[in-house]
């Protein structure tokens, strides 16, 4: 039994050290390549203004947690949301909720990436979305907003194409704006730091 607990502790340490080993803490503007079923999008993240949010997102990336997930909510001229479900709409494992960094000065403008959350402010976890317009209603004001943590630097045309896919009400999930044909996030990869 003692050996079993030692194995569990060692495994946990190895998993958590994989993240810290794979992510260069001195890279304050890391880039992530998102290989989708409709093309490649590259985002540059802003660790200066959204350090908690960026590290949370990178942890999911490095652990392969975004691989083979879908963009489950697409509203043209508003958002493309994903990161939480596989193609069968099975929910992926959740990590811990993070502090809302929406007051960081970054705005929900066209081409930015932000964290989805529940109505309560500090409930962002693994779901993210791309802004398809300047969504000022998602910025903080008298209420908490949605934390922007980066922007697209390559593949805007891919996002534009994703925004145009046909959607409808999904009876099984009781959701609106679900793509009729799955749009997959096949693989998310942390790119090497620029020299």
């Amino acid at each position: 039994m003692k050996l079993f607990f030692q194995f569990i502790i060692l495994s946990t340490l190895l998993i958590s050290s994989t993240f810290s080993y794979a992510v260069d803490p001195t890279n304050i503007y890391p880039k992530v390549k998102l290989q989708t079923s409709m093309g490649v999008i590259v985002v540059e993240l802003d660790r200066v203004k959204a350090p908690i949010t960026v590290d949370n997102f990178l942890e999911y990336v490095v652990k392969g947690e975004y691989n083979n997930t879908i963009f489950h909510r697409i509203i043209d001229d508003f958002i493309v949301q994903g990161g939480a479900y596989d193609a069968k709409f099975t929910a992926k494992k959740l990590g811990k909720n993070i502090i809302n960094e929406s007051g960081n000065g970054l705005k929900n403008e066209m081409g930015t990436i932000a964290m989805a959350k529940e109505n309560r402010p500090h409930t962002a976890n693994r779901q993210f979305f791309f802004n398809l317009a300047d969504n000022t209603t998602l910025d903080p004001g008298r209420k908490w907003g949605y934390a922007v943590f980066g922007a697209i630097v390559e593949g805007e045309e891919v996002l534009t194409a994703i925004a145009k896919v046909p959607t409808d009400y999904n009876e099984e999930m009781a959701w609106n704006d679900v793509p009729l044909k799955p749009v997959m996030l096949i693989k998310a990869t942390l790119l090497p730091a620029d020299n």
Side-chain angles (χ1 to χ4, degrees), residues 34-37 57 60 64-72 81-93 126-128 182-188:
L34 304 172
Q35 180 186 347
T36 79
S37 56
F57 183 78
Y60 283 111
E65 289 288 328
Y66 286 132
N67 298 349
N68 300 309
T69 58
I70 58 168
F71 292 101
H72 65 277
Q81 184 172 336
Y85 303 93
D86 67 17
K88 295 180 180 177
F89 294 98
T90 303
K92 303 292 281 180
K93 182 178 67 173
R126 70 175 292 144
Q127 289 192 48
F128 62 91
V183 179
M184 299 295 300
L185 171 49
I186 298 164
K187 187 171 186 181

Side-chain angles (χ1 to χ4, degrees), residues 101-113:
E101 294 181 302
S102 64
N104 61 19
L106 300 174
K107 305 293 183 191
N108 282 278
E109 297 171 338
M110 171 68 186
T112 57
I113 185 171

Side-chain angles (χ1 to χ4, degrees), residues 46-166:
D46 190 335
R47 213 184 217 150
V48 173
K49 293 189 174 177
I52 295 167
T53 309
V54 168
D55 281 352
N56 176 68
F57 183 78
L58 289 178
E59 186 167 357
Y60 283 111
V61 169
V62 169
K63 290 181 176 178
E65 289 288 328
Y66 286 132
N67 298 349
N68 300 309
T69 58
I70 58 168
F71 292 101
H72 65 277
R73 183 176 179 223
I74 299 176
I75 306 172
D76 194 17
D77 293 322
F78 185 48
I79 64 163
V80 169
Q81 184 172 336
Y85 303 93
D86 67 17
K88 295 180 180 177
F89 294 98
T90 303
K92 303 292 281 180
K93 182 178 67 173
L94 292 176
K96 62 189 182 312
N97 289 347
I98 58 170
I99 292 172
N100 188 323
E101 294 181 302
S102 64
N104 61 19
L106 300 174
K107 305 293 183 191
N108 282 278
E109 297 171 338
M110 171 68 186
T112 57
I113 185 171
M115 291 304 293
K117 65 175 182 64
E118 298 171 12
N119 288 332
R120 292 172 293 122
H122 308 294
T123 54
N125 195 300
R126 70 175 292 144
Q127 289 192 48
F128 62 91
F129 63 90
F130 290 105
N131 284 291
L132 299 173
D134 292 345
N135 293 318
T136 56
T137 58
L138 302 181
D139 291 334
R142 295 184 70 95
K143 295 181 180 179
W144 289 88
Y146 292 79
V148 173
F149 63 100
I152 294 176
V153 292
E154 289 177 38
E156 288 179 6
E157 70 285 355
V158 175
L159 183 63
T160 301
I162 292 172
K164 302 293 184 195
V165 302

